[in-house]
Amino acid sequence: MDKTYDPHAIEQHWYSTWEDRGYFAPKGTGRPYCIMIPPPNVTGTLHMGHAFQDTLMDALIRHHRMRGDDTLWQAGTDHAGIATQMIVERQLNQQGVTRHELGREEFLNRVWQWKHESGGNITRQLRRMGASLDWSRERFTMDAGLSQAVTEVFVRLHDEGLIYRGKRLVNWDPVLHTAISDLEVVSEEEQGHLWHLRYPLSDGSGHLIVATTRPETMLGDAAVAVHPADARYVELVGKTVELPLTGRHIPIVADEYVDPEFGTGCVKITPAHDFNDYAVGQRHDLPLINIFTPDAQLNDEAPQAYRGLDRYEARKRVVADLQAQGLVERIDDHKLMVPRGDRSGAVIEPYLTDQWYVKVEPLAKPAVQAVKDGRIRFIPENWDKTYFDWMNKIEDWCISRQLWWGHRIPAWYDEAGNIYVAHSEEAAREKYGLAADLALRQDEDVLDTWFSSALWPFSTLGWPENTEEVKRYYPTSVLVTGFDIIFFWVARMIMFGLKFMDDVPFHEVYVHGLVRDAEGQKMSKSKGNVLDPIDLIDGITLDELLAKRTRGLMQPQKAKQIEKATRRDFPDGIQAFGTDALRFTFAALASTGRDVRFDLARIEGYRNFCNKLWNAARYVLMNTEGEDTGRDEQAPVELSLADRWIISRLQRVEAEVAGHFRGYRFDLLARALYDFTWHTYCDWYLELAKTVLTDEAASEESKRGTRRTLVRVLETLLRLLHPIMPYITEEIWQSVAPLAGCDGETILLQAYPEADEARIDPAAEQEMEWVQSFILGVRRIRAEMDIAPGKPLPVLLDGHGEEDRSRCEANRRFLDGLARLEKIEYLADGQSAPEAATALVGEMRVLIPLAGLIDKDAELERLGREISKLETNLERCRAKLANANFVERAPAAVVEQERERVTDMEGSLARLHEQRTRIGAL
């Protein structure tokens, strides 16, 4: 092994080796274990959410593969209808061509060309993360097999009356000219206004005042609503008001939707331009008056004066005209949530259009029951409540999109507008008995990408054909996903799986949190706080990071603010941490909470952990290569207390890790492995083993036993760590495995360790706990008294029993070596002890006489300096916390950190005063 751990020297080598040798493919033996990757967008690049999620899935897959299961991690990508079409359209625009000039067929050819040339970026980045997907089975939602599955599902659902075409409100992107899903709408608080407008009563007896944030939509008002219990307006219900600027008269209706405490308690109702108003309109049979074109300009339903105006220009004109007529009561500044399309950045319009819908309620009932009866289990369990809440309020699903890239809807129209749904035009003619010369045109729309991804668990396995893969791997084992798409994806997979496969698509749903920055803020380009996983793996300079974070901002004015924050947080850029450190960080952060706060300090700590493991392995190899490690089970060995103890502790950590894998507690799993590796194996066992290997009096059997234990525990530890840290464990294992007597080409296919209860040795653990307490007590005294680490210390034992004497004599090698002892003497009963520093080991006192060990005056002077320095720092921190400006304006985390510093310094000060008193009494 190289002297220094260098992840770049090993990672890509091992990944290409694993992939080239087909190690990721299912082996066909053992029980099936299958995970479907949530298909990333073909346009995408790896972000922190992907990297986090794929680390957890890969850990599960590697764990089950090593357990001997027939393991399939299905690879694939989503065609990302809107995002992909936008990319190719931008390319065309740079060439001075529009997609309409090209025509649909040629445009789609260009999209496929882009996909083949540039669509593999995210899969290459997944490989960098060590994701052991079966790439030989990679699927794409637009490939021929999945397209066939999509068409089959659409036709069947339509034939059963579960898909229909209807005119309803949708989220409309006026730039992209398509309906979009709720998940593609980003609502953020923005500064706006609240206009209070006067609507005159038709009978001339007065007026009502309504408040609106969108005065231009009043041109499409169908009513004014008040709460039925609002005494101010009860006598007006049923009367009408004159809608300003339009000449129309609209009714006053009573509806419980109205909040009588908001504004004046009167609300304008515009059913064609607001989702809540649409529901009110349905209840009161109000007309749907659509005043916008697909470009969000005013159409011919608006008065002549406003037709053809952009919605915001129309707003200015409407307000000016209302003011001219004295109908504006007042205008208030008002913060409001503005919905924008996540791709275009345009403000989204609730828009009335003809779209295709899935009638969801009949599909939802069995999907709810599958979770209630335990066929599907959410982990953590509290997410089933979120699932039930969404499913019980479910509305029909808009599945059509006004795009060219995607699964084109298999519906044809004749000139009379009749609809024919079938697998193809030829099939439609045959199915409906249509004449060969009847002109038909196919629906221009495509299906929402969530429609094809809802089939993912079975379409990827070859359905609608009854393939061997479908029969073996469906239902899949577990779905790993973020909570934000439980409804958009998880629920729909459950509904379609039960409908078309007559079984659930997966048995468990592990729901993880969303990765945020160290302050808990959502990572977004507009905030300039995005971290790129590849930058954490490879490193990036400050200049490159600044360029990446400020390039292509939708709000360029934020560039200076982003630059300032980046220079503050990453003055030297980001160092290269390697994949294993990043993966271990993700595992350690995978708690049951909703948020995953990613702090660079954590990954730096786990990069040190990689170094610790590497250096420990080098130490083991230096002490075992070329030596007899007892690979032959018949070779006589003698196991020391330390050997028996580490073997016993290993069994316990193996059992603990198994439990954490079953419970999806990756954070506890990482902690258990970290503590065992760093503290138990490296800090303790390697030092204990060193005393055996360097002891000239130790027998060859004893040394052989320690060498065997060193390599076997290390080899087992590498297998335990492999699912989380695949690269470093493979590299080390290649050197350690021969010494441990292991066969095989790769750690990836070795058996995952399982605890052997027969090898748990409580007596050895108890005795080693005594040894550790003894050593730690001496080390504490040495540190407190500032005694040089290498200076041998005399020890007196007081209050000892026969067991203590026996343990002391049996473990002198460990005590002398790790505590650096000069001699051990025993105080007889009644014998007075000299002035000494004391540590307790059970009931026994470990005494280190201080006379002659320390220079009393020099030590008192040193303690005085430390106390003075600490008191100065403490006073400074207390003054900062006493400053109201600091407490109120500083981030809460900074204030809390300052309070913790005060608490720590107060404790340290108390200990120093106690120590000065004790030394002063000598």
Side-chain angles (χ1 to χ4, degrees), residues 387-399:
Y387 173 79
F388 292 140
D389 184 55
W390 278 334
M391 295 296 277
N392 291 332
K393 297 175 183 175
I394 200 164
E395 295 182 358
D396 288 357
W397 170 20
C398 176
I399 56 172

mmCIF file with all atom_site columns, all heavy atoms in Angstrom, residues 387-399:
data_model
loop_
_atom_site.group_PDB
_atom_site.id
_atom_site.type_symbol
_atom_site.label_atom_id
_atom_site.label_alt_id
_atom_site.label_comp_id
_atom_site.label_asym_id
_atom_site.label_entity_id
_atom_site.label_seq_id
_atom_site.pdbx_PDB_ins_code
_atom_site.Cartn_x
_atom_site.Cartn_y
_atom_site.Cartn_z
_atom_site.occupancy
_atom_site.B_iso_or_equiv
_atom_site.pdbx_formal_charge
_atom_site.auth_seq_id
_atom_site.auth_comp_id
_atom_site.auth_asym_id
_atom_site.auth_atom_id
_atom_site.pdbx_PDB_model_num
ATOM 1   N N   . TYR A 1 387 ? -49.161 10.304 3.646   1.00 0.00 ? 387 TYR A N   1
ATOM 2   C CA  . TYR A 1 387 ? -49.686 9.561  2.488   1.00 0.00 ? 387 TYR A CA  1
ATOM 3   C C   . TYR A 1 387 ? -51.211 9.497  2.535   1.00 0.00 ? 387 TYR A C   1
ATOM 4   O O   . TYR A 1 387 ? -51.894 9.817  1.555   1.00 0.00 ? 387 TYR A O   1
ATOM 5   C CB  . TYR A 1 387 ? -49.068 8.163  2.491   1.00 0.00 ? 387 TYR A CB  1
ATOM 6   C CG  . TYR A 1 387 ? -49.616 7.201  1.468   1.00 0.00 ? 387 TYR A CG  1
ATOM 7   C CD1 . TYR A 1 387 ? -49.207 7.273  0.132   1.00 0.00 ? 387 TYR A CD1 1
ATOM 8   C CD2 . TYR A 1 387 ? -50.510 6.199  1.831   1.00 0.00 ? 387 TYR A CD2 1
ATOM 9   C CE1 . TYR A 1 387 ? -49.682 6.372  -0.806  1.00 0.00 ? 387 TYR A CE1 1
ATOM 10  C CE2 . TYR A 1 387 ? -50.986 5.289  0.903   1.00 0.00 ? 387 TYR A CE2 1
ATOM 11  C CZ  . TYR A 1 387 ? -50.575 5.380  -0.411  1.00 0.00 ? 387 TYR A CZ  1
ATOM 12  O OH  . TYR A 1 387 ? -51.047 4.487  -1.336  1.00 0.00 ? 387 TYR A OH  1
ATOM 13  N N   . PHE A 1 388 ? -51.766 9.110  3.687   1.00 0.00 ? 388 PHE A N   1
ATOM 14  C CA  . PHE A 1 388 ? -53.225 9.013  3.813   1.00 0.00 ? 388 PHE A CA  1
ATOM 15  C C   . PHE A 1 388 ? -53.881 10.377 3.618   1.00 0.00 ? 388 PHE A C   1
ATOM 16  O O   . PHE A 1 388 ? -54.931 10.476 2.974   1.00 0.00 ? 388 PHE A O   1
ATOM 17  C CB  . PHE A 1 388 ? -53.611 8.447  5.185   1.00 0.00 ? 388 PHE A CB  1
ATOM 18  C CG  . PHE A 1 388 ? -53.232 7.012  5.389   1.00 0.00 ? 388 PHE A CG  1
ATOM 19  C CD1 . PHE A 1 388 ? -52.725 6.574  6.617   1.00 0.00 ? 388 PHE A CD1 1
ATOM 20  C CD2 . PHE A 1 388 ? -53.352 6.086  4.373   1.00 0.00 ? 388 PHE A CD2 1
ATOM 21  C CE1 . PHE A 1 388 ? -52.363 5.259  6.810   1.00 0.00 ? 388 PHE A CE1 1
ATOM 22  C CE2 . PHE A 1 388 ? -52.997 4.760  4.555   1.00 0.00 ? 388 PHE A CE2 1
ATOM 23  C CZ  . PHE A 1 388 ? -52.503 4.343  5.776   1.00 0.00 ? 388 PHE A CZ  1
ATOM 24  N N   . ASP A 1 389 ? -53.262 11.409 4.157   1.00 0.00 ? 389 ASP A N   1
ATOM 25  C CA  . ASP A 1 389 ? -53.831 12.749 4.045   1.00 0.00 ? 389 ASP A CA  1
ATOM 26  C C   . ASP A 1 389 ? -53.932 13.165 2.584   1.00 0.00 ? 389 ASP A C   1
ATOM 27  O O   . ASP A 1 389 ? -54.961 13.680 2.137   1.00 0.00 ? 389 ASP A O   1
ATOM 28  C CB  . ASP A 1 389 ? -52.973 13.741 4.828   1.00 0.00 ? 389 ASP A CB  1
ATOM 29  C CG  . ASP A 1 389 ? -53.574 15.142 4.835   1.00 0.00 ? 389 ASP A CG  1
ATOM 30  O OD1 . ASP A 1 389 ? -54.745 15.273 5.239   1.00 0.00 ? 389 ASP A OD1 1
ATOM 31  O OD2 . ASP A 1 389 ? -52.881 16.094 4.444   1.00 0.00 ? 389 ASP A OD2 1
ATOM 32  N N   . TRP A 1 390 ? -52.870 12.936 1.839   1.00 0.00 ? 390 TRP A N   1
ATOM 33  C CA  . TRP A 1 390 ? -52.892 13.277 0.413   1.00 0.00 ? 390 TRP A CA  1
ATOM 34  C C   . TRP A 1 390 ? -53.900 12.416 -0.349  1.00 0.00 ? 390 TRP A C   1
ATOM 35  O O   . TRP A 1 390 ? -54.664 12.920 -1.165  1.00 0.00 ? 390 TRP A O   1
ATOM 36  C CB  . TRP A 1 390 ? -51.502 13.092 -0.187  1.00 0.00 ? 390 TRP A CB  1
ATOM 37  C CG  . TRP A 1 390 ? -50.578 14.234 0.048   1.00 0.00 ? 390 TRP A CG  1
ATOM 38  C CD1 . TRP A 1 390 ? -50.910 15.537 0.264   1.00 0.00 ? 390 TRP A CD1 1
ATOM 39  C CD2 . TRP A 1 390 ? -49.156 14.177 0.104   1.00 0.00 ? 390 TRP A CD2 1
ATOM 40  N NE1 . TRP A 1 390 ? -49.790 16.295 0.455   1.00 0.00 ? 390 TRP A NE1 1
ATOM 41  C CE2 . TRP A 1 390 ? -48.693 15.490 0.352   1.00 0.00 ? 390 TRP A CE2 1
ATOM 42  C CE3 . TRP A 1 390 ? -48.216 13.159 -0.038  1.00 0.00 ? 390 TRP A CE3 1
ATOM 43  C CZ2 . TRP A 1 390 ? -47.341 15.805 0.459   1.00 0.00 ? 390 TRP A CZ2 1
ATOM 44  C CZ3 . TRP A 1 390 ? -46.876 13.468 0.066   1.00 0.00 ? 390 TRP A CZ3 1
ATOM 45  C CH2 . TRP A 1 390 ? -46.442 14.768 0.313   1.00 0.00 ? 390 TRP A CH2 1
ATOM 46  N N   . MET A 1 391 ? -53.878 11.122 -0.074  1.00 0.00 ? 391 MET A N   1
ATOM 47  C CA  . MET A 1 391 ? -54.726 10.202 -0.843  1.00 0.00 ? 391 MET A CA  1
ATOM 48  C C   . MET A 1 391 ? -56.208 10.431 -0.563  1.00 0.00 ? 391 MET A C   1
ATOM 49  O O   . MET A 1 391 ? -57.046 10.240 -1.445  1.00 0.00 ? 391 MET A O   1
ATOM 50  C CB  . MET A 1 391 ? -54.336 8.762  -0.533  1.00 0.00 ? 391 MET A CB  1
ATOM 51  C CG  . MET A 1 391 ? -52.934 8.400  -0.970  1.00 0.00 ? 391 MET A CG  1
ATOM 52  S SD  . MET A 1 391 ? -52.694 8.484  -2.753  1.00 0.00 ? 391 MET A SD  1
ATOM 53  C CE  . MET A 1 391 ? -53.334 6.872  -3.229  1.00 0.00 ? 391 MET A CE  1
ATOM 54  N N   . ASN A 1 392 ? -56.546 10.819 0.643   1.00 0.00 ? 392 ASN A N   1
ATOM 55  C CA  . ASN A 1 392 ? -57.954 11.044 0.978   1.00 0.00 ? 392 ASN A CA  1
ATOM 56  C C   . ASN A 1 392 ? -58.482 12.346 0.387   1.00 0.00 ? 392 ASN A C   1
ATOM 57  O O   . ASN A 1 392 ? -59.698 12.557 0.329   1.00 0.00 ? 392 ASN A O   1
ATOM 58  C CB  . ASN A 1 392 ? -58.148 11.032 2.498   1.00 0.00 ? 392 ASN A CB  1
ATOM 59  C CG  . ASN A 1 392 ? -57.941 9.642  3.091   1.00 0.00 ? 392 ASN A CG  1
ATOM 60  O OD1 . ASN A 1 392 ? -58.166 8.630  2.414   1.00 0.00 ? 392 ASN A OD1 1
ATOM 61  N ND2 . ASN A 1 392 ? -57.493 9.572  4.332   1.00 0.00 ? 392 ASN A ND2 1
ATOM 62  N N   . LYS A 1 393 ? -57.577 13.237 -0.026  1.00 0.00 ? 393 LYS A N   1
ATOM 63  C CA  . LYS A 1 393 ? -57.998 14.497 -0.654  1.00 0.00 ? 393 LYS A CA  1
ATOM 64  C C   . LYS A 1 393 ? -57.696 14.504 -2.156  1.00 0.00 ? 393 LYS A C   1
ATOM 65  O O   . LYS A 1 393 ? -57.703 15.560 -2.788  1.00 0.00 ? 393 LYS A O   1
ATOM 66  C CB  . LYS A 1 393 ? -57.265 15.680 0.000   1.00 0.00 ? 393 LYS A CB  1
ATOM 67  C CG  . LYS A 1 393 ? -57.569 15.863 1.484   1.00 0.00 ? 393 LYS A CG  1
ATOM 68  C CD  . LYS A 1 393 ? -56.706 16.967 2.067   1.00 0.00 ? 393 LYS A CD  1
ATOM 69  C CE  . LYS A 1 393 ? -56.941 17.133 3.559   1.00 0.00 ? 393 LYS A CE  1
ATOM 70  N NZ  . LYS A 1 393 ? -56.020 18.123 4.164   1.00 0.00 ? 393 LYS A NZ  1
ATOM 71  N N   . ILE A 1 394 ? -57.460 13.349 -2.708  1.00 0.00 ? 394 ILE A N   1
ATOM 72  C CA  . ILE A 1 394 ? -56.935 13.259 -4.070  1.00 0.00 ? 394 ILE A CA  1
ATOM 73  C C   . ILE A 1 394 ? -57.944 13.783 -5.092  1.00 0.00 ? 394 ILE A C   1
ATOM 74  O O   . ILE A 1 394 ? -59.152 13.622 -4.954  1.00 0.00 ? 394 ILE A O   1
ATOM 75  C CB  . ILE A 1 394 ? -56.536 11.795 -4.373  1.00 0.00 ? 394 ILE A CB  1
ATOM 76  C CG1 . ILE A 1 394 ? -55.562 11.748 -5.528  1.00 0.00 ? 394 ILE A CG1 1
ATOM 77  C CG2 . ILE A 1 394 ? -57.759 10.925 -4.609  1.00 0.00 ? 394 ILE A CG2 1
ATOM 78  C CD1 . ILE A 1 394 ? -54.837 10.414 -5.633  1.00 0.00 ? 394 ILE A CD1 1
ATOM 79  N N   . GLU A 1 395 ? -57.413 14.464 -6.093  1.00 0.00 ? 395 GLU A N   1
ATOM 80  C CA  . GLU A 1 395 ? -58.238 14.944 -7.205  1.00 0.00 ? 395 GLU A CA  1
ATOM 81  C C   . GLU A 1 395 ? -57.734 14.309 -8.492  1.00 0.00 ? 395 GLU A C   1
ATOM 82  O O   . GLU A 1 395 ? -56.628 13.770 -8.552  1.00 0.00 ? 395 GLU A O   1
ATOM 83  C CB  . GLU A 1 395 ? -58.150 16.472 -7.299  1.00 0.00 ? 395 GLU A CB  1
ATOM 84  C CG  . GLU A 1 395 ? -58.747 17.184 -6.092  1.00 0.00 ? 395 GLU A CG  1
ATOM 85  C CD  . GLU A 1 395 ? -58.691 18.698 -6.236  1.00 0.00 ? 395 GLU A CD  1
ATOM 86  O OE1 . GLU A 1 395 ? -58.148 19.177 -7.270  1.00 0.00 ? 395 GLU A OE1 1
ATOM 87  O OE2 . GLU A 1 395 ? -59.169 19.393 -5.336  1.00 0.00 ? 395 GLU A OE2 1
ATOM 88  N N   . ASP A 1 396 ? -58.548 14.376 -9.525  1.00 0.00 ? 396 ASP A N   1
ATOM 89  C CA  . ASP A 1 396 ? -58.161 13.782 -10.799 1.00 0.00 ? 396 ASP A CA  1
ATOM 90  C C   . ASP A 1 396 ? -56.860 14.399 -11.294 1.00 0.00 ? 396 ASP A C   1
ATOM 91  O O   . ASP A 1 396 ? -56.568 15.575 -11.061 1.00 0.00 ? 396 ASP A O   1
ATOM 92  C CB  . ASP A 1 396 ? -59.281 13.955 -11.828 1.00 0.00 ? 396 ASP A CB  1
ATOM 93  C CG  . ASP A 1 396 ? -60.479 13.061 -11.523 1.00 0.00 ? 396 ASP A CG  1
ATOM 94  O OD1 . ASP A 1 396 ? -60.399 12.284 -10.549 1.00 0.00 ? 396 ASP A OD1 1
ATOM 95  O OD2 . ASP A 1 396 ? -61.492 13.147 -12.242 1.00 0.00 ? 396 ASP A OD2 1
ATOM 96  N N   . TRP A 1 397 ? -56.099 13.584 -11.998 1.00 0.00 ? 397 TRP A N   1
ATOM 97  C CA  . TRP A 1 397 ? -54.713 13.909 -12.343 1.00 0.00 ? 397 TRP A CA  1
ATOM 98  C C   . TRP A 1 397 ? -54.633 14.372 -13.796 1.00 0.00 ? 397 TRP A C   1
ATOM 99  O O   . TRP A 1 397 ? -54.988 13.616 -14.707 1.00 0.00 ? 397 TRP A O   1
ATOM 100 C CB  . TRP A 1 397 ? -53.874 12.658 -12.080 1.00 0.00 ? 397 TRP A CB  1
ATOM 101 C CG  . TRP A 1 397 ? -52.465 12.648 -12.551 1.00 0.00 ? 397 TRP A CG  1
ATOM 102 C CD1 . TRP A 1 397 ? -51.674 13.708 -12.868 1.00 0.00 ? 397 TRP A CD1 1
ATOM 103 C CD2 . TRP A 1 397 ? -51.655 11.477 -12.759 1.00 0.00 ? 397 TRP A CD2 1
ATOM 104 N NE1 . TRP A 1 397 ? -50.425 13.290 -13.246 1.00 0.00 ? 397 TRP A NE1 1
ATOM 105 C CE2 . TRP A 1 397 ? -50.383 11.937 -13.192 1.00 0.00 ? 397 TRP A CE2 1
ATOM 106 C CE3 . TRP A 1 397 ? -51.871 10.107 -12.605 1.00 0.00 ? 397 TRP A CE3 1
ATOM 107 C CZ2 . TRP A 1 397 ? -49.347 11.053 -13.492 1.00 0.00 ? 397 TRP A CZ2 1
ATOM 108 C CZ3 . TRP A 1 397 ? -50.840 9.229  -12.895 1.00 0.00 ? 397 TRP A CZ3 1
ATOM 109 C CH2 . TRP A 1 397 ? -49.585 9.705  -13.331 1.00 0.00 ? 397 TRP A CH2 1
ATOM 110 N N   . CYS A 1 398 ? -54.142 15.584 -13.995 1.00 0.00 ? 398 CYS A N   1
ATOM 111 C CA  . CYS A 1 398 ? -53.930 16.105 -15.345 1.00 0.00 ? 398 CYS A CA  1
ATOM 112 C C   . CYS A 1 398 ? -52.658 15.479 -15.916 1.00 0.00 ? 398 CYS A C   1
ATOM 113 O O   . CYS A 1 398 ? -51.562 15.704 -15.388 1.00 0.00 ? 398 CYS A O   1
ATOM 114 C CB  . CYS A 1 398 ? -53.808 17.625 -15.318 1.00 0.00 ? 398 CYS A CB  1
ATOM 115 S SG  . CYS A 1 398 ? -53.424 18.355 -16.928 1.00 0.00 ? 398 CYS A SG  1
ATOM 116 N N   . ILE A 1 399 ? -52.784 14.698 -16.984 1.00 0.00 ? 399 ILE A N   1
ATOM 117 C CA  . ILE A 1 399 ? -51.639 13.930 -17.501 1.00 0.00 ? 399 ILE A CA  1
ATOM 118 C C   . ILE A 1 399 ? -51.132 14.437 -18.847 1.00 0.00 ? 399 ILE A C   1
ATOM 119 O O   . ILE A 1 399 ? -50.164 13.890 -19.374 1.00 0.00 ? 399 ILE A O   1
ATOM 120 C CB  . ILE A 1 399 ? -51.978 12.432 -17.618 1.00 0.00 ? 399 ILE A CB  1
ATOM 121 C CG1 . ILE A 1 399 ? -53.224 12.236 -18.484 1.00 0.00 ? 399 ILE A CG1 1
ATOM 122 C CG2 . ILE A 1 399 ? -52.158 11.809 -16.235 1.00 0.00 ? 399 ILE A CG2 1
ATOM 123 C CD1 . ILE A 1 399 ? -53.507 10.779 -18.807 1.00 0.00 ? 399 ILE A CD1 1
#
